[in-house]
């Protein structure tokens, strides 16, 4: 059976939990501040900030996310209707007296599938020696057409304990050549996920 070529990064997609537990779609609704001026795409990392809302985590080697953004709900200021969509548009106008809520996969045990790049959006791969190592995020801009993220991780891995992403496994179905895997399974590294950090926000 032929598997599709990985042609571009697509953000972080939840697939299951550590230890083989099923990801049953459990998420948390988290507020985005009215007028927040940055796009957040499906598959982007987000973090809590001191006012209790969330924002896009734009970190690369020092990200401290609370989870991954999976959609948004708000009441449109023009139509007065509740609108649910794939991404949060920067500076979205909402009906007075209402709030914006993001859907976030926030379980620290969640595993995600993500593409590996050599830089920006150029797909490359890692070998199985990358399993157990840590990696840096590549913060590409998402698409306002599809609503999807373009975040990826770099193919350069290390044991550095401050890097935000831990590689748990490779995706063997999309192996391109012997021991070259353009997709991997990852989790937010211990101490980097805000629920695993002793210091508050």
């Amino acid at each position: 059976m032929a598997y599709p070529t990985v042609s571009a990064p697509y953000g972080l997609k939840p697939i299951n939990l550590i230890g083989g537990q099923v990801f049953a779609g459990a998420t948390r609704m988290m507020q985005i501040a009215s007028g927040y001026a940055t796009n957040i795409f499906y598959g982007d990392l987000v973090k809590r900030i001191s006012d209790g809302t969330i924002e896009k985590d734009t970190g690369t080697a020092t990200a401290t996310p609370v989870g991954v953004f999976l959609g948004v709900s708000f009441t449109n200021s023009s139509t007065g209707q509740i609108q649910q969509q794939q991404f949060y548009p920067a500076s979205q106008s909402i009906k007075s007296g209402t709030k914006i809520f993001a859907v976030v996969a926030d379980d620290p045990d969640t595993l995600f599938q993500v593409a590996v790049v050599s830089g920006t959006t150029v797909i490359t791969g890692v070998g199985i020696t990358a399993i157990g190592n840590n990696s840096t995020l590549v913060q590409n801009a998402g698409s306002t057409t599809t609503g999807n993220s373009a975040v990826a991780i770099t193919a350069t891995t290390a044991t550095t304990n401050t890097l935000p992403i831990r590689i748990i496994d490779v995706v063997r179905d999309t192996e391109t050549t012997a021991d070259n895997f353009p997709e991997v399974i990852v989790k937010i590294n211990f101490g980097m996920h805000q629920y695993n950090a002793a210091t508050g926000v």
Side-chain angles (χ1 to χ4, degrees):
M1 173 182 249
Y3 288 90
T5 299
V6 182
S7 58
Y10 47 77
L12 283 79
K13 291 185 177 180
I15 55 169
N16 62 357
L17 304 183
I18 200 77
Q21 302 172 77
V22 175
F23 175 72
T27 54
R28 186 174 305 280
M29 302 298 285
M30 299 185 180
Q31 188 176 339
I32 298 173
S34 178
Y36 177 62
T38 300
N39 291 327
I40 311 177
F41 296 96
Y42 186 100
D44 277 350
L45 291 150
V46 292
K47 63 182 179 182
R48 287 276 192 194
I49 59 174
S50 59
D51 66 1
T53 66
I54 60 166
E55 64 182 23
K56 177 178 166 63
D57 192 331
T58 59
T60 54
T62 57
T64 55
V66 72
V68 171
F69 177 91
L70 300 178
V72 69
S73 175
F74 56 85
T75 302
N76 190 293
S77 62
S78 299
T79 65
Q81 299 297 309
I82 294 175
Q83 193 166 320
Q84 297 175 327
Q85 58 187 50
Q86 188 95 336
F87 81 104
Y88 167 76
S91 305
Q92 174 65 46
S93 177
I94 61 172
K95 182 179 179 180
S96 177
T98 65
K99 301 183 187 305
I100 306 166
F101 286 99
V103 179
V104 180
D106 69 335
D107 189 330
D109 287 341
T110 305
L111 299 183
F112 301 93
Q113 185 170 308
V114 66
V116 180
V117 296
S118 58
T120 61
T121 60
V122 180
I123 298 293
T124 183
V126 294
I128 62 169
T129 57
I131 296 172
N133 276 356
N134 299 327
S135 186
T136 299
L137 292 157
V138 180
Q139 295 280 0
N140 301 302
S143 168
T144 56
T145 301
T146 65
N148 291 331
S149 171
V151 168
I153 66 165
T154 179
T156 303
T157 64
T159 59
T160 310
N161 64 6
T162 55
L163 294 177
I165 298 296
R166 169 64 58 88
I167 298 173
I168 303 300
D169 205 351
V170 294
V171 178
R172 298 182 186 272
D173 289 342
T174 50
E175 182 179 20
T176 55
T177 58
D179 198 36
N180 189 75
F181 303 92
E183 295 176 301
V184 291
I185 297 168
V186 303
K187 72 183 293 292
I188 300 169
N189 212 356
F190 185 83
M192 306 301 110
H193 194 294
Q194 287 183 313
Y195 294 167
N196 292 143
T199 304
V201 296

